[in-house]
Amino acid sequence: MSDVSEWVRKHMPLIPAGGQVLDLACGGGRHTALLLSGGYGVTAVDIDVHAVGALSHKALTIVEADLEAGGWPFGPERFDGIVVTNYLWRPLFEDIRGSLKQGGVVIYETFAVGNEAFGRPRNPDFLLREGELKDMFSGFEILDYRHGPVGQPKPAVTQGIAARKR
Protein backbone atom coordinates (compact mmCIF):
# COMPACT_ATOMS: atom_id res chain seq x y z
CA MET A 1 0.00 0.00 0.00
CA SER A 2 2.84 2.33 -0.83
CA ASP A 3 0.55 4.59 -2.88
CA VAL A 4 -1.64 5.34 0.13
CA SER A 5 -1.84 8.99 1.10
CA GLU A 6 0.43 9.74 4.05
CA TRP A 7 -2.19 12.30 5.15
CA VAL A 8 -4.80 9.54 5.42
CA ARG A 9 -2.37 7.09 7.03
CA LYS A 10 -1.36 9.68 9.63
CA HIS A 11 -4.92 10.67 10.58
CA MET A 12 -6.79 7.37 10.23
CA PRO A 13 -6.30 6.52 13.95
CA LEU A 14 -8.43 9.60 14.79
CA ILE A 15 -11.51 7.78 13.45
CA PRO A 16 -13.27 5.91 16.29
CA ALA A 17 -11.92 2.35 16.48
CA GLY A 18 -14.00 -0.23 14.65
CA GLY A 19 -16.24 2.47 13.19
CA GLN A 20 -17.97 2.65 9.85
CA VAL A 21 -16.03 4.70 7.28
CA LEU A 22 -17.03 6.07 3.88
CA ASP A 23 -14.27 6.05 1.26
CA LEU A 24 -15.70 8.69 -1.07
CA ALA A 25 -14.67 8.49 -4.74
CA CYS A 26 -12.68 5.40 -3.78
CA GLY A 27 -11.13 4.74 -7.19
CA GLY A 28 -9.07 1.57 -7.09
CA GLY A 29 -9.58 1.13 -3.36
CA ARG A 30 -6.14 1.98 -1.98
CA HIS A 31 -7.67 3.69 1.08
CA THR A 32 -10.48 1.15 1.30
CA ALA A 33 -7.83 -1.58 1.75
CA LEU A 34 -5.95 0.51 4.33
CA LEU A 35 -9.12 1.17 6.33
CA LEU A 36 -10.17 -2.49 6.24
CA SER A 37 -6.71 -3.50 7.48
CA GLY A 38 -7.21 -1.03 10.35
CA GLY A 39 -10.33 -2.83 11.53
CA TYR A 40 -12.93 -0.44 10.14
CA GLY A 41 -16.12 -1.29 8.30
CA VAL A 42 -15.89 0.45 4.93
CA THR A 43 -18.41 1.67 2.40
CA ALA A 44 -16.55 2.33 -0.85
CA VAL A 45 -18.40 4.54 -3.35
CA ASP A 46 -17.46 5.57 -6.87
CA ILE A 47 -19.00 5.97 -10.31
CA ASP A 48 -16.92 2.99 -11.47
CA VAL A 49 -16.41 0.28 -8.87
CA HIS A 50 -14.78 -2.27 -11.15
CA ALA A 51 -11.31 -1.93 -9.58
CA VAL A 52 -12.46 -1.86 -5.96
CA GLY A 53 -14.66 -4.87 -6.71
CA ALA A 54 -11.51 -6.99 -6.62
CA LEU A 55 -11.35 -6.44 -2.85
CA SER A 56 -13.21 -9.01 -0.84
CA HIS A 57 -13.93 -8.49 2.83
CA LYS A 58 -16.92 -9.11 5.08
CA ALA A 59 -16.70 -5.53 6.39
CA LEU A 60 -16.82 -3.99 2.89
CA THR A 61 -19.88 -2.55 1.18
CA ILE A 62 -19.45 -1.30 -2.39
CA VAL A 63 -21.82 1.33 -3.78
CA GLU A 64 -21.78 2.31 -7.44
CA ALA A 65 -23.10 5.86 -7.73
CA ASP A 66 -22.68 8.99 -9.85
CA LEU A 67 -22.33 11.46 -6.99
CA GLU A 68 -22.25 14.45 -9.31
CA ALA A 69 -25.47 13.66 -11.17
CA GLY A 70 -27.32 11.01 -9.20
CA GLY A 71 -27.60 12.50 -5.75
CA TRP A 72 -26.25 11.47 -2.37
CA PRO A 73 -27.08 7.83 -1.56
CA PHE A 74 -26.43 7.96 2.20
CA GLY A 75 -28.49 9.05 5.18
CA PRO A 76 -27.66 11.46 7.97
CA GLU A 77 -25.18 10.63 10.73
CA ARG A 78 -24.26 7.26 9.25
CA PHE A 79 -20.46 7.23 9.31
CA ASP A 80 -17.79 7.47 12.03
CA GLY A 81 -15.30 8.61 9.41
CA ILE A 82 -15.25 9.91 5.86
CA VAL A 83 -12.11 9.82 3.73
CA VAL A 84 -11.76 11.82 0.51
CA THR A 85 -8.60 12.14 -1.57
CA ASN A 86 -7.91 13.69 -4.97
CA TYR A 87 -11.58 14.51 -5.51
CA LEU A 88 -13.48 17.77 -5.31
CA TRP A 89 -17.16 18.31 -6.02
CA ARG A 90 -18.18 21.25 -3.85
CA PRO A 91 -21.95 20.51 -3.89
CA LEU A 92 -21.21 17.40 -1.77
CA PHE A 93 -19.77 19.27 1.22
CA GLU A 94 -23.12 19.58 3.01
CA ASP A 95 -23.86 15.90 2.39
CA ILE A 96 -20.45 14.91 3.75
CA ARG A 97 -21.02 17.03 6.86
CA GLY A 98 -24.50 15.62 7.36
CA SER A 99 -23.56 11.93 6.94
CA LEU A 100 -20.86 12.12 9.61
CA LYS A 101 -21.91 11.05 13.12
CA GLN A 102 -21.26 13.30 16.12
CA GLY A 103 -17.63 12.67 17.11
CA GLY A 104 -16.87 11.34 13.63
CA VAL A 105 -13.79 12.43 11.69
CA VAL A 106 -13.43 13.67 8.13
CA ILE A 107 -10.04 13.24 6.48
CA TYR A 108 -9.89 15.22 3.25
CA GLU A 109 -6.95 15.86 0.94
CA THR A 110 -7.00 17.15 -2.61
CA PHE A 111 -5.39 19.57 -5.02
CA ALA A 112 -5.27 23.30 -4.38
CA VAL A 113 -4.65 26.54 -6.21
CA GLY A 114 -1.02 26.58 -7.32
CA ASN A 115 -1.17 23.02 -8.62
CA GLU A 116 -1.42 24.45 -12.15
CA ALA A 117 2.37 24.80 -12.12
CA PHE A 118 2.76 21.04 -11.65
CA GLY A 119 0.07 19.54 -13.85
CA ARG A 120 -3.54 18.44 -13.60
CA PRO A 121 -5.93 19.46 -12.37
CA ARG A 122 -5.52 23.02 -13.56
CA ASN A 123 -9.18 24.05 -13.72
CA PRO A 124 -10.00 26.26 -10.70
CA ASP A 125 -13.30 24.40 -10.32
CA PHE A 126 -11.23 21.46 -9.10
CA LEU A 127 -8.68 23.33 -6.99
CA LEU A 128 -9.23 24.37 -3.39
CA ARG A 129 -8.64 27.97 -2.41
CA GLU A 130 -6.44 28.67 0.62
CA GLY A 131 -8.43 27.86 3.76
CA GLU A 132 -11.42 26.48 1.84
CA LEU A 133 -11.55 23.18 3.73
CA LYS A 134 -11.47 25.08 7.04
CA ASP A 135 -14.45 27.11 5.82
CA MET A 136 -16.32 24.02 4.60
CA PHE A 137 -15.90 22.32 7.95
CA SER A 138 -16.48 25.36 10.16
CA GLY A 139 -18.04 24.30 13.42
CA PHE A 140 -15.95 21.12 13.42
CA GLU A 141 -12.91 20.72 15.68
CA ILE A 142 -9.92 21.16 13.37
CA LEU A 143 -7.42 18.46 14.35
CA ASP A 144 -4.90 19.19 11.60
CA TYR A 145 -4.72 21.35 8.48
CA ARG A 146 -2.17 22.08 5.80
CA HIS A 147 -1.99 23.87 2.47
CA GLY A 148 1.01 23.98 0.20
CA PRO A 149 3.46 22.13 -1.99
CA VAL A 150 4.21 18.44 -1.53
CA GLY A 151 6.84 16.30 -3.20
CA GLN A 152 5.25 12.85 -2.84
CA PRO A 153 3.83 10.92 -4.54
CA LYS A 154 4.60 13.60 -7.15
CA PRO A 155 5.10 17.36 -6.93
CA ALA A 156 1.76 19.12 -6.41
CA VAL A 157 0.00 21.73 -4.31
CA THR A 158 -2.53 20.19 -1.98
CA GLN A 159 -4.72 21.02 0.97
CA GLY A 160 -5.68 18.64 3.71
CA ILE A 161 -7.85 18.66 6.80
CA ALA A 162 -8.63 16.26 9.60
CA ALA A 163 -11.65 17.48 11.54
CA ARG A 164 -14.04 16.07 14.16
CA LYS A 165 -17.76 16.78 14.12
CA ARG A 166 -18.80 18.31 17.43
Side-chain angles (χ1 to χ4, degrees):
M1 284 189 279
S2 61
D3 60 343
V4 169
S5 160
E6 286 305 313
W7 186 256
V8 173
R9 188 186 308 274
K10 174 183 175 183
H11 295 97
M12 183 178 81
L14 298 171
I15 299 170
Q20 293 298 310
V21 181
L22 176 64
D23 185 359
L24 180 64
C26 65
R30 61 191 175 132
H31 296 111
T32 297
L34 175 69
L35 292 158
L36 288 168
S37 73
Y40 296 99
V42 180
T43 298
V45 62
D46 207 305
I47 193 169
D48 178 0
V49 295
H50 178 74
V52 77
L55 294 174
S56 178
H57 196 286
K58 64 181 179 176
L60 173 61
T61 302
I62 298 172
V63 176
E64 187 169 5
D66 183 347
L67 298 170
E68 296 174 18
W72 186 251
F74 308 108
E77 297 193 15
R78 178 161 170 197
F79 298 104
D80 299 291
I82 298 178
V83 172
V84 188
T85 61
N86 299 340
Y87 179 74
L88 178 61
W89 186 250
R90 288 177 176 92
L92 294 180
F93 278 123
E94 281 307 310
D95 294 315
I96 293 168
R97 291 171 57 96
S99 285
L100 200 60
K101 292 178 182 177
Q102 294 298 107
V105 173
V106 63
I107 302 169
Y108 205 122
E109 177 187 46
T110 196
F111 300 100
V113 170
N115 193 66
E116 313 88 299
F118 298 100
R120 293 180 181 213
R122 290 185 171 100
N123 182 334
D125 290 343
F126 303 109
L127 298 172
L128 290 166
R129 297 176 297 278
E130 177 101 31
E132 188 171 359
L133 286 176
K134 282 183 178 179
D135 293 341
M136 289 299 148
F137 294 101
S138 66
F140 280 47
E141 176 187 3
I142 306 299
L143 305 169
D144 198 0
Y145 171 83
R146 70 162 173 71
H147 177 107
V150 295
Q152 297 294 326
K154 63 179 186 151
V157 175
T158 64
Q159 187 173 135
I161 196 167
R164 181 177 292 119
K165 188 173 184 179
R166 298 176 201 246

